[in-house]
Amino acid sequence: MAKPKLKEHHINRDWCKGCGICVEFCPKKVLELDKQDKVVAVHFTNCICCKLCELRCPDLAIEIETEL
Amino acid sequence: MAIKDYIRERFFPHIWCPGCGHGMVLNALLRAFEDLAISKNEIVMVSGIGCSARISGYVDVHTLHTIHGRALAFATGVKMSRPELNLIVPMGDGDALAIGGNHFIHAARRNIDITAIVMNNRIYGMTGGQYSPLSGYGTLATTAPFINIDHAFDVVELAKAAGATFVARTTTYHVKQMSELFKEAILREGFSVIEVLTQCPTYFGRKNKAGSAVDMVKSFKDNTTPVGSKAKLESPGLIERGIFVQKDLPEYTREYDKVIERAMKKR
Amino acid sequence: MNGTLKFVQGNEACVEGALYAGLKFFAGYPITPSTEIAESLAYRLPQIGGKFIQMEDEIGSMCAIIGASLTGSKVMTATSGPGFSLMQEALGYAIMAEIPCVIANVQRGGPSTGLATRGAQGDVMQSRWGTHGDHAIVVMTASNNQDVFNITIEAFNVAETYRTPVILLFDEVMGHTRERLIVPEKDEIPLVERLRTSVKGGVDYHPYLPREDGRLPMSDFGGVHRYNVTGLYHDMWGFPSENPAVVDGLIHHLTDKIRNNVHTITQYKEYFIEDARTILISYGSTARSALHHVLNRRKRGEYIGLLELQTLWPFHGDLIREKCKNAELVVVTEMNLGQLYRQVKIAVDHPERVFLANRVDGVFITPTDIKNMLRLIQGRGV
């Protein structure tokens, strides 16, 4: 199976409560919280589409769209 | 279906605090539904009272938000009447094991096909941080301002002794395992108990200086080990996670079908 | 009347009525003096493909019948004083969430464990106000096996019509009295089946939006409509709401649907009321003795009558006032310290003419007791 390729990080800013769980446990340190404590995919080129952020988000605020 | 198809989007963002583990349980549960591709019309989610109980309102299945501690009794009635439905009962630690302890052990004893999820955050969150039967000796809570002298239940041991035929434990750090366990429990016929160690950063975390939600999730990673691992022998303080009981015994509603068969012969 | 002749206890007459009405699910916990209802249904229900479960307590029993009712089954539980106390919270849930169900409370002496094997009628007020908060409730009773049978069917019909719990307030004496019962042929007594929605799947459906007549056409759990059921104040979709207009609307809907139909819900029997100067008001087993006394005295030319209430709640005050308007003496006969007596006093035009003839010592009120108490009330001495 080919590695999935990132299309987009869909982040629902209305739902994100800025707990930082996704930021902390991202293996490639792709995510950061902005000044409003909302998550942003700053280093999205590093994303390996493991989707751990999506799976761990307590607010269902992250969705990783891949091209595969 | 995507997981969004299983939720009632209009109620989001949900009421839980930032970093609350209950949202992670919801997340993993929705993925289990999605993977199993169960029809939403065939799922009945029954919950009691407390932060945990609010989970049912967010899921687009048949939802029954009941009274404190009694969710399993309501679920028993639903299941007996319509055995073909999938019953999911998410409960908090106080809901399941304090006020609802009796229903918990008896549902397990009957081996009725219900998936019971104990969202164990070791505190009563909705009422503002009182100790629960899972807080444990030495913890602090608003009702244990000096020290908690109550010992905690071991949910796994309790469920085992009561007769549950599938017993597992995981944490909010181990989200993939959580989803897998939910799937396994839903597919199995019989009473399944999954204890999920989940963080309450707002009350348990603050009272017990456990740090942020992130710190608490990290602690689940650091303080647990797969069941039967060597690490447990070296550090007995580690909490085991994984499947503890997995056995096939006759399920209650199927057994009742036999009662009906016998009764009809005596007409 | 065509049917099957039986010689049974009151508790069994209740079972016959429940099965006739279409009972499909029973959950209960053993308690004297109601246990025969559970025992009998444990035998009878599986024979018709119904379900019986003995739960871990009365709380669980009440909760289980609510769960089963949501799937569309006609449901029931049976208990007595202590168990009835335990059921109160879930009973309130059934009122709030509008779940049809029937609860038989075969009364024994209270408070607490009280008199387990003796008759009493001390739960009249508990059946009205046992669960917390403002609410309406339907409470019915009867004084002989045929009536126990009929009123049990009526309880199911009312529960299904108004989507409400209905309490059958029997007592030990009635529950254990063995006498004849004729179970009529099928279809002889009309049954009310649950009103279900005609809204198709996929269309926005409002489970808690009452029709103009106050009835709710609901969808069964497991059907095409997925909605929320809660004990919190809720909107027309069943989702929690603290909106004052929603809260106000719901509490009035819940109480009005019963109160506005008090005329239709109320069942009673009257004997010689028309020209009676003395009217006895009674219910349940006590009404048997009252009737016996009335028949005796009528033979001697006394102008005495009996109003036997079968629906205790909602209390039909207008009916009582009307029936008692010409009476010189109204005597309420009951096995408690005056729980219905006070209601009657409030209802009538001349409260000073209302008296209580009771016993609370666990001993059944006999016709002789009534005769003696009446003589005392009338100042004639025993």
Side-chain angles (χ1 to χ4, degrees):
Chain A
M1 210 173 98
K3 277 185 186 167
K5 199 165 163 240
L6 178 74
K7 201 168 165 196
E8 204 182 340
H9 285 83
H10 295 283
I11 292 169
N12 186 335
R13 292 179 64 83
D14 292 335
W15 292 10
C16 172
K17 291 179 184 150
C19 67
I21 288 173
C22 57
V23 176
E24 175 67 26
F25 297 108
C26 172
K28 295 293 174 187
K29 301 295 164 210
V30 171
L31 307 165
E32 283 178 19
L33 293 181
D34 67 11
K35 281 180 186 158
Q36 293 165 313
D37 268 350
K38 302 285 180 186
V39 68
V40 184
V42 178
H43 311 289
F44 58 88
T45 48
N46 295 343
C47 178
I48 52 169
C49 305
C50 67
K51 297 195 180 184
L52 280 170
C53 55
E54 182 180 327
L55 299 179
R56 285 212 180 92
C57 177
D59 299 299
L60 309 181
I62 309 176
E63 206 180 319
I64 306 298
E65 195 184 346
T66 58
E67 276 176 356
L68 281 177
Chain B
M1 277 203 293
I3 71 157
K4 290 263 161 71
D5 295 327
Y6 281 95
I7 61 173
R8 292 164 171 156
E9 276 199 57
R10 65 186 184 283
F11 299 120
F12 283 76
H14 56 55
I15 61 154
W16 293 314
C17 302
C20 174
H22 291 353
M24 301 164 86
V25 176
L26 170 63
N27 193 328
L29 187 60
L30 295 173
R31 283 169 211 286
F33 289 161
E34 186 195 18
D35 285 357
L36 294 174
I38 322 176
S39 156
K40 295 193 281 186
N41 288 344
E42 287 164 17
I43 304 172
V44 179
M45 194 183 270
V46 188
S47 65
I49 294 294
C51 293
S52 61
R54 289 306 183 101
I55 193 170
S56 60
Y58 297 118
V59 188
D60 185 24
V61 297
H62 302 285
T63 55
L64 183 54
H65 177 226
T66 68
I67 53 180
H68 198 26
R70 320 295 173 198
L72 285 169
F74 282 85
T76 298
V78 175
K79 184 72 186 179
M80 279 290 277
S81 198
R82 290 286 301 273
E84 70 278 18
L85 297 174
N86 292 295
L87 270 291
I88 316 285
V89 181
M91 298 169 284
D93 37 310
D95 201 30
L97 294 161
I99 187 165
N102 203 29
H103 307 300
F104 182 83
I105 56 174
H106 287 278
R109 175 177 64 80
R110 291 188 190 104
N111 194 33
I112 187 162
D113 183 23
I114 292 173
T115 299
I117 301 168
V118 181
M119 299 154 80
N120 176 11
N121 62 7
R122 307 175 69 189
I123 201 89
Y124 287 88
M126 191 67 92
T127 45
Q130 299 74 33
Y131 66 88
S132 89
L134 296 180
S135 294
Y137 188 86
T139 52
L140 293 172
T142 59
T143 45
F146 305 109
I147 190 175
N148 180 20
I149 55 168
D150 279 29
H151 294 278
F153 276 131
D154 179 326
V155 182
V156 166
E157 291 301 325
L158 185 70
K160 253 195 214 174
T165 47
F166 181 82
V167 181
R169 179 192 286 132
T170 186
T171 85
T172 51
Y173 176 81
H174 305 91
V175 281
K176 285 186 174 171
Q177 180 184 41
M178 195 187 336
S179 252
E180 290 305 314
L181 291 174
F182 288 161
K183 281 195 282 190
E184 188 123 15
I186 292 166
L187 289 177
R188 287 187 67 86
E189 261 197 19
F191 193 73
S192 305
V193 177
I194 303 110
E195 178 190 16
V196 184
L197 305 183
T198 159
Q199 70 280 7
C200 171
T202 305
Y203 292 110
F204 189 87
R206 274 188 209 156
K207 276 275 167 198
N208 292 284
K209 302 199 171 19
S212 66
V214 167
D215 296 327
M216 294 178 84
V217 174
K218 263 192 208 158
S219 78
F220 293 146
K221 177 189 171 200
D222 298 340
N223 297 329
T224 62
T225 183
V227 60
S229 71
K230 261 193 200 160
K232 176 76 180 172
L233 295 174
E234 287 154 18
S235 325
L238 289 176
I239 300 166
E240 289 180 295
R241 57 183 174 79
I243 298 170
F244 296 81
V245 176
Q246 198 170 12
K247 57 184 177 190
D248 289 316
L249 283 174
E251 191 272 331
Y252 193 75
T253 59
R254 297 230 182 231
E255 289 290 280
Y256 198 81
D257 286 342
K258 292 184 199 162
V259 173
I260 292 177
E261 223 171 276
R262 277 168 177 251
M264 285 191 168
K265 280 184 199 150
K266 285 216 168 182
R267 280 182 85 170
Chain C
M1 188 162 69
N2 291 322
T4 318
L5 178 66
K6 291 179 179 258
F7 184 65
V8 292
Q9 285 188 344
N11 282 342
E12 293 166 282
C14 171
V15 166
E16 295 294 342
L19 292 170
Y20 191 98
L23 176 72
K24 285 286 145 39
F25 182 87
F26 178 97
Y29 188 83
I31 186 165
T32 305
S34 77
T35 309
E36 294 85 3
I37 297 178
E39 285 176 334
S40 178
L41 285 168
Y43 194 90
R44 300 283 297 278
L45 271 174
Q47 290 185 323
I48 55 161
K51 310 280 171 75
F52 168 92
I53 186 169
Q54 184 172 313
M55 291 296 286
E56 49 275 16
D57 57 26
E58 288 88 347
I59 301 173
S61 305
M62 189 63 212
C63 297
I65 66 166
I66 294 172
S69 182
L70 273 165
T71 68
S73 299
K74 287 189 179 178
V75 302
M76 178 183 185
T77 185
T79 188
S80 182
F84 191 54
S85 292
L86 287 177
M87 289 179 179
Q88 294 303 324
E89 188 192 6
L91 178 65
Y93 183 91
I95 292 169
M96 182 61 120
E98 303 190 63
I99 316 286
C101 53
V102 174
I103 302 104
N105 173 10
V106 186
Q107 295 170 95
R108 61 194 240 180
S112 189
T113 319
L115 290 167
T117 61
R118 303 283 169 184
Q121 295 174 322
D123 303 349
V124 172
M125 280 296 165
Q126 186 193 21
S127 68
R128 176 63 189 90
W129 291 115
T131 198
H132 59 277
D134 280 315
H135 61 273
I137 189 86
V138 180
V139 179
M140 300 180 138
T141 185
S143 64
N144 62 64
N145 272 355
Q146 204 62 48
D147 286 355
V148 165
F149 175 86
N150 289 330
I151 210 76
T152 302
I153 296 169
E154 185 58 18
F156 279 91
N157 285 348
V158 169
E160 294 295 338
T161 304
Y162 302 102
R163 291 199 64 107
T164 180
V166 176
I167 293 160
L168 287 167
L169 200 66
F170 299 137
D171 58 71
E172 190 277 335
V173 179
M174 202 49 252
H176 288 158
T177 294
R178 219 170 257 283
E179 62 182 349
R180 61 186 259 139
L181 167 73
I182 297 170
V183 177
E185 302 286 344
K186 201 171 157 260
D187 299 331
E188 214 167 292
I189 300 177
L191 303 179
V192 175
E193 297 308 328
R194 198 165 298 185
L195 188 64
R196 289 177 170 97
T197 181
S198 54
V199 175
K200 299 252 177 339
V203 179
D204 189 20
Y205 159 67
H206 310 116
Y208 284 101
L209 183 67
R211 299 194 312 195
E212 255 177 42
D213 62 1
R215 292 188 68 187
L216 286 181
M218 281 186 86
S219 169
D220 297 340
F221 263 35
V224 293
H225 296 291
R226 298 175 304 276
Y227 55 94
N228 190 53
V229 177
T230 177
L232 291 166
Y233 275 94
H234 47 271
D235 60 21
M236 61 185 177
W237 291 276
F239 291 108
S241 172
E242 292 182 344
N243 177 333
V246 170
V247 173
D248 192 66
L250 180 53
I251 191 162
H252 285 110
H253 160 68
L254 293 177
T255 48
D256 287 353
K257 72 177 182 183
I258 305 297
R259 201 161 46 187
N260 293 348
N261 291 295
V262 61
H263 299 87
T264 355
I265 295 171
T266 298
Q267 308 256 328
Y268 65 95
K269 287 173 127 176
E270 58 172 277
Y271 304 89
F272 316 108
I273 291 292
E274 201 68 7
D275 61 352
R277 289 177 201 152
T278 299
I279 293 180
L280 299 183
I281 297 181
S282 194
Y283 53 92
S285 61
T286 318
R288 296 170 78 102
S289 296
L291 178 60
H292 193 90
H293 176 74
V294 166
L295 294 173
N296 269 344
R297 304 315 290 181
R298 273 279 160 181
K299 277 185 210 151
R300 296 168 195 215
E302 248 181 64
Y303 291 98
I304 186 167
L306 168 67
L307 181 61
E308 180 190 344
L309 298 181
Q310 293 186 315
T311 304
L312 301 183
W313 305 105
F315 188 74
H316 198 342
D318 292 344
L319 174 85
I320 308 282
R321 186 191 308 121
E322 182 58 28
K323 298 288 176 194
C324 297
K325 68 177 181 218
N326 298 321
E328 289 158 14
L329 191 62
V330 176
V331 179
V332 182
T333 307
E334 53 185 342
M335 288 189 281
N336 60 48
L337 290 170
Q339 298 192 16
L340 200 82
Y341 156 75
R342 281 190 288 272
Q343 288 300 122
V344 171
K345 239 175 140 68
I346 293 165
V348 297
D349 294 326
H350 297 283
E352 73 282 1
R353 296 179 189 170
V354 182
F355 292 85
L356 171 66
N358 70 338
R359 276 192 90 137
V360 287
D361 55 357
V363 180
F364 183 58
I365 302 179
T366 62
T368 310
D369 289 334
I370 294 173
K371 184 181 87 182
N372 290 340
M373 285 188 275
L374 272 176
R375 287 182 67 93
L376 285 171
I377 290 165
Q378 290 163 329
R380 295 194 284 153
V382 181

